[in-house]
Amino acid sequence: MIERHLMKLRARHAISAEEETAIRAAISEVRELPSDRTFVRAGDVLDYCTLLLDGLMCRYKDLRDGQRQITELNVAGDFADMHSYVLKRLDHNLMTLSPCHMAVLQHDKAKALFDAYPRLHDIYWFGTNLDAAIHREWTLSLGRRDARARTANLFCELRVRLGVVGMADERGYDLALTQTDLAECLGLTSVHVNRVLKELREAGIVEFRGGRVTIMDLAQLERAAEFDPTYLYMERLD
Amino acid sequence: MPLYFLHVFNRTGWSRDDEGQDLPDLAAARGAAVDGIRSILSDEVVHGAIDFEGRVDIVDEAGNLLESVSFADAVELRREGESE
């Protein structure tokens, strides 16, 4: 059930059999959610964290006129809101972008887990810091990269993140996003994203169609993005 | 909600919208076309040049062309000496 989550943890840290058992025991209650469902709203008081088992979720904030900015995508194996453990209420919403299975980590169970295994506390803290690093990269993209580089960077990032959980290779990956979802990640519009995708496709770099990202030329894609994967902290730390 | 397809034509060619967007009505589709054009132009302007040659065609699910919005109509241009 939490295999992808364990793959993500083990990409950076050794997790012992005992620690794995303790994590599995702390996590409960699988819920199924339909696509496009805002299941946590900004301001809701939470007593649990959401672990995404499969599907795609996002964190977003919006303006009164309905304009939405997705601030991070969450893929299988990610906690969507480990930070709710200490924040208790979120300043953003959580929404599914595809049908999802999620599991729950009650905050009191998290506390018991971290008290018993302080090393796991640090490892989960690493995870929230990794989210912060991703947010910083998105800030760089939204503030400084042009539409093409921004789009290319997102495709590069997701290749690495999905690769960690065995869902991407050099040729590409499945990505259940609409052009509107992409536009909301990239601070663009659906019409603009459509044109950027056409440019990237015609340049022989990457194609996004029918829920699939097909990487035609990875080196060119990474060059177009000025992709520097160090913010994803892929090295083993143990 | 009806599905509207917003195809972009400009100097770089035709960007076909295969996915479409669920929008309440034609006015909303027109709004999405205008926002889309402004988004494209804003990306161009930071590179120092704007290309007004282009349009967005709004097409319904049956393939009927409902309206075309030209790039030039999506923004108001004011030059030195012109009043509002």
Side-chain angles (χ1 to χ4, degrees):
Chain A
M1 177 178 97
I2 62 161
E3 279 63 31
R4 293 217 168 91
H5 177 57
L6 290 167
M7 281 173 90
K8 181 186 174 185
L9 295 181
R10 286 185 165 130
R12 283 96 175 185
H13 300 93
I15 303 287
S16 70
E18 188 189 340
E19 286 166 334
E20 177 180 335
T21 305
I23 295 168
R24 284 184 186 277
I27 285 164
S28 57
E29 203 187 341
V30 176
R31 295 177 192 167
E32 220 178 311
L33 293 167
S35 188
D36 298 315
R37 170 74 57 87
T38 296
F39 62 97
V40 173
R41 290 202 177 272
D44 291 353
V45 176
L46 296 170
D47 60 2
Y48 68 94
C49 301
T50 295
L51 172 59
L52 178 57
L53 302 176
D54 61 61
L56 266 182
M57 287 182 175
C58 70
R59 305 170 179 182
Y60 75 89
K61 300 184 82 149
D62 51 16
L63 293 174
R64 224 168 300 158
D65 66 2
Q67 287 194 82
R68 178 184 289 163
Q69 180 64 45
I70 294 176
T71 63
E72 192 190 346
L73 291 172
N74 285 120
V75 302
D78 287 347
F79 266 101
D81 63 338
M82 182 51 85
H83 47 290
S84 79
Y85 172 61
V86 284
L87 295 176
K88 299 304 173 194
R89 58 166 184 82
L90 301 181
D91 54 278
H92 59 86
N93 308 284
L94 292 179
M95 180 175 76
T96 59
L97 296 168
S98 73
C100 289
H101 284 98
M102 59 167 274
V104 160
L105 175 61
Q106 295 289 341
H107 289 168
D108 55 353
K109 289 214 174 158
K111 176 151 182 31
L113 179 70
F114 297 152
D115 285 349
Y117 297 90
R119 188 172 166 271
L120 287 182
H121 176 272
D122 291 357
I123 287 171
Y124 282 102
W125 188 17
F126 174 94
T128 58
N129 278 311
L130 178 58
D131 283 327
I134 292 168
H135 285 304
R136 283 191 290 277
E137 190 68 24
W138 283 40
T139 305
L140 175 65
S141 270
L142 290 163
R144 294 295 174 202
R145 284 189 173 100
D146 67 14
R148 179 184 147 113
R150 216 183 280 179
T151 308
N153 198 73
L154 182 62
F155 287 145
C156 289
E157 175 184 310
L158 289 171
R159 188 187 75 81
V160 173
R161 292 175 63 196
L162 288 165
V164 166
V165 292
M167 298 174 74
D169 56 32
E170 282 97 79
R171 294 184 307 274
Y173 47 87
D174 290 337
L175 186 68
L177 288 182
T178 65
Q179 275 179 24
T180 303
D181 297 332
L182 261 187
E184 289 174 347
C185 291
L186 299 169
L188 303 172
T189 60
S190 181
V191 168
H192 194 177
V193 165
N194 188 27
R195 211 192 57 156
V196 170
L197 291 175
K198 174 193 140 85
E199 281 174 20
L200 289 169
R201 184 171 64 240
E202 288 187 348
I205 296 174
V206 66
E207 176 165 35
F208 175 59
R209 186 172 277 174
R212 174 90 196 161
V213 174
T214 305
I215 296 168
M216 296 142 91
D217 185 333
L218 181 59
Q220 259 207 86
L221 179 67
E222 294 188 342
R223 225 172 11 249
E226 262 188 63
F227 182 61
D228 175 0
T230 51
Y231 74 96
L232 295 170
Y233 293 85
M234 289 300 296
E235 56 282 5
R236 277 290 291 224
L237 298 164
D238 286 337
Chain B
M1 277 199 279
L3 195 58
Y4 294 94
F5 295 86
L6 305 178
H7 307 303
V8 186
F9 297 83
N10 70 352
R11 237 184 273 269
T12 68
W14 183 37
S15 304
R16 199 184 136 85
D17 177 6
D18 293 320
E19 204 169 85
Q21 294 179 62
D22 290 314
L23 295 163
D25 52 30
L26 181 59
R30 195 181 298 126
V34 167
D35 287 347
I37 292 166
R38 288 174 182 169
S39 175
I40 290 169
L41 294 177
S42 70
D43 203 39
E44 288 181 355
V45 81
V46 297
H47 290 111
I50 296 188
D51 187 352
F52 279 117
E53 193 177 295
R55 67 175 200 274
V56 172
D57 282 354
I58 304 172
V59 172
D60 68 14
E61 235 175 320
N64 301 307
L65 176 66
L66 304 176
E67 200 169 310
S68 281
V69 182
S70 84
F71 276 33
D73 287 341
V75 289
E76 191 187 326
L77 263 189
R78 285 184 215 132
R79 288 176 182 272
E80 209 178 343
E82 290 175 16
S83 55
E84 276 187 39

